[in-house]
Amino acid sequence: MALLEINKINAYYMHNTQKTRAVENVSLSVEDNEIIGIAGESGCGKSTLVKTIYGAIEPPLYLENGSIIYNFKNLSSNTKITNENIPFYWWKKISYIPQASMNVLNPVRKIKKFFENLWRAHRQDLSYKNYQKLLSTHLQHLGLPVSILEYYPHQLSGGMKQRVIIGAASLFHPELIIADEPTSALDVGVQLDVLRLLLKIQNECKNTIIVVAHDMSVMANFCMKIAIMYAGNIVEIGKTLDIFSHPLHPYTKLLIDSLPKIGDKRGLKGIPGSPPDLVSPPSGCRFHPRCPHSFELCKKVSPTMKEFSAGHQAACHLLERGETNERK
Ligand SMILES: Nc1ncnc2c1ncn2[C@@H]1O[C@H](COP(=O)(O)OP(=O)(O)O)[C@@H](O)[C@H]1O
Ligand SMILES: [Mg+2]
């Protein structure tokens, strides 16, 4: 049984009568003890998808269809996690590091207070003494000096603040941690430190991490599996090695081609055009207006996900015709 079973969800933003189809017809299985990446250009629905998984669904965001099943361990057999009761499991079973999360630290409160508020709100079953013991062991374990508890956020670097947030997200050993662009505001060297910290947590806690990034290079060394999103849909899912060595979807291929390569003198290839407005997305395959291989069917019919090799799926008419997506 997968830890998360996401089945055909549609998550929309409603402003008066205007509907932004940010996530549409998305199905995804997330296993125990894996690091899965969600990649794609900005505006393709990655943050909306993870917000929905976390259960942070409030207007103007609505879950219009579909279901998410959470198979957390050690829950009584009749416990069903729903949008209403999921906040009870936040930080304990499922943690979420939002995009630009460093800003969640209150500038006039010491880091100590930030952790204390978490304990007070979510782990009152733990005595204050035991909470303090857990916190100092956890910080030391993550290589964070316990002295940071006495600091105010402005006294910490961006990388240190991000590590504090990751420390908080993992403090109560949740089975699932969701990190939305955890490295995007950081310098390259610090990015690596932050990824290493997440890896260390995953190695030790054997939990699951969903990491969102618009940068495929973040994914390459970090994720076991990658889901590629385009304009609200998942267009390809596979093991990281398969995605990089045999990308199936033309969009995935363009994303990979747009990465800098050592010794490549041809310069970077951008992806022509830009992602569509999700208020009125293109008909058929949403990628067809930018796809170098599109044909008539692509304009009319939305392709469905098909498995092309073990665990490697993509949604593309070209592949169904048995043709490759070699770039024109
Ligand atoms: N609060 C909101 N109200 C209306 N539209 C939104 C809101 N937040 C995001 N969107 C739209 O939803 C789409 C997906 O956004 P998002 O999930 O943030 O994408 P990503 O994380 O991939 O950049 C975009 O078209 C974005 O403009
Ligand atoms: Mg985002």
Side-chain angles (χ1 to χ4, degrees):
M1 202 161 41
L3 178 69
L4 266 188
E5 293 167 42
I6 301 170
N7 191 20
K8 294 190 175 159
I9 59 166
N10 290 350
Y12 298 147
Y13 294 98
M14 287 295 294
H15 288 281
N16 299 321
T17 55
Q18 182 172 285
K19 190 186 266 188
T20 305
R21 298 163 178 275
V23 168
E24 202 155 65
N25 201 20
V26 164
S27 296
L28 181 67
S29 262
V30 179
E31 304 297 326
D32 246 351
N33 192 8
E34 77 173 2
I35 304 181
I36 175 166
I38 301 175
E41 288 164 291
S42 284
C44 65
K46 306 181 298 296
S47 293
T48 309
L49 174 60
V50 292
K51 257 191 266 176
T52 307
I53 293 173
Y54 188 59
I57 305 173
E58 46 188 47
L61 179 62
Y62 291 88
L63 181 62
E64 212 175 89
N65 263 315
S67 62
I68 304 180
I69 298 170
Y70 304 82
N71 295 313
F72 293 133
K73 292 180 212 96
N74 306 323
L75 295 178
S76 64
S77 57
N78 52 6
T79 303
K80 193 168 184 301
I81 299 179
T82 61
N83 282 341
E84 280 80 47
N85 70 6
I86 198 168
F88 176 76
Y89 299 96
W90 286 350
W91 302 90
K92 296 190 278 267
K93 292 281 183 197
I94 176 168
S95 281
Y96 172 49
I97 302 167
Q99 206 165 345
S101 58
M102 293 171 243
N103 306 332
V104 305
L105 296 171
N106 186 333
V108 296
R109 291 280 161 88
K110 286 184 176 174
I111 299 299
K112 182 163 78 176
K113 266 279 173 239
F114 171 66
F115 280 102
E116 228 172 87
N117 288 342
L118 277 187
W119 162 71
R120 196 160 282 127
H122 300 280
R123 283 303 304 270
Q124 277 289 310
D125 58 311
L126 208 61
S127 70
Y128 186 64
K129 210 166 150 207
N130 283 342
Y131 149 73
Q132 280 189 308
K133 222 188 275 171
L134 171 73
L135 178 61
S136 66
T137 316
H138 186 62
L139 292 180
Q140 283 169 30
H141 206 74
L142 299 187
L144 289 167
V146 175
S147 56
I148 55 159
L149 294 172
E150 296 302 329
Y151 282 60
Y152 287 93
H154 73 268
Q155 294 172 298
L156 302 177
S157 66
M160 198 52 115
K161 276 192 267 192
Q162 188 63 299
R163 284 152 77 177
V164 164
I165 304 279
I166 292 171
S170 52
L171 179 63
F172 304 130
H173 299 143
E175 285 172 48
L176 176 62
I177 298 178
I178 300 169
D180 192 352
E181 308 260 8
T183 60
S184 57
L186 304 172
D187 295 338
V188 176
V190 186
Q191 284 184 3
L192 268 181
D193 289 344
V194 164
L195 291 176
R196 281 197 198 109
L197 182 62
L198 281 167
L199 265 180
K200 182 179 163 91
I201 290 167
Q202 201 281 329
N203 254 323
E204 284 165 18
C205 299
K206 304 291 174 221
N207 55 2
T208 295
I209 298 184
I210 301 178
V211 63
V212 169
H214 63 269
D215 180 351
M216 287 287 281
S217 56
V218 167
M219 304 282 173
N221 296 309
F222 181 66
C223 299
M224 302 162 186
K225 205 161 102 181
I226 299 179
I228 308 286
M229 273 192 95
Y230 183 76
N233 303 141
I234 288 184
V235 297
E236 182 162 353
I237 304 175
K239 291 189 202 98
T240 304
L241 191 64
D242 291 340
I243 293 278
F244 279 92
S245 59
H246 299 290
L248 294 172
H249 199 282
Y251 178 61
T252 311
K253 195 160 190 329
L254 288 168
L255 272 182
I256 293 171
D257 279 354
S258 68
L259 289 175
K261 290 174 195 67
I262 294 170
D264 189 348
K265 302 228 165 39
R266 289 171 304 164
L268 292 184
K269 291 179 196 161
I271 305 177
S274 49
D277 175 10
L278 296 181
V279 174
S280 49
S283 60
C285 169
R286 291 185 176 181
F287 188 57
H288 87 255
R290 297 173 80 189
C291 182
H293 310 281
S294 75
F295 50 99
E296 232 13 66
L297 183 66
C298 310
K299 295 179 192 159
K300 293 184 187 136
V301 179
S302 174
T304 50
M305 290 289 271
K306 296 254 157 67
E307 187 160 64
F308 290 89
S309 62
H312 196 177
Q313 303 171 26
C316 174
H317 293 305
L318 190 74
L319 298 166
E320 286 185 51
R321 280 204 329 200
E323 293 179 25
T324 64
N325 59 17
E326 284 311 310
R327 206 172 172 188
K328 279 178 188 165

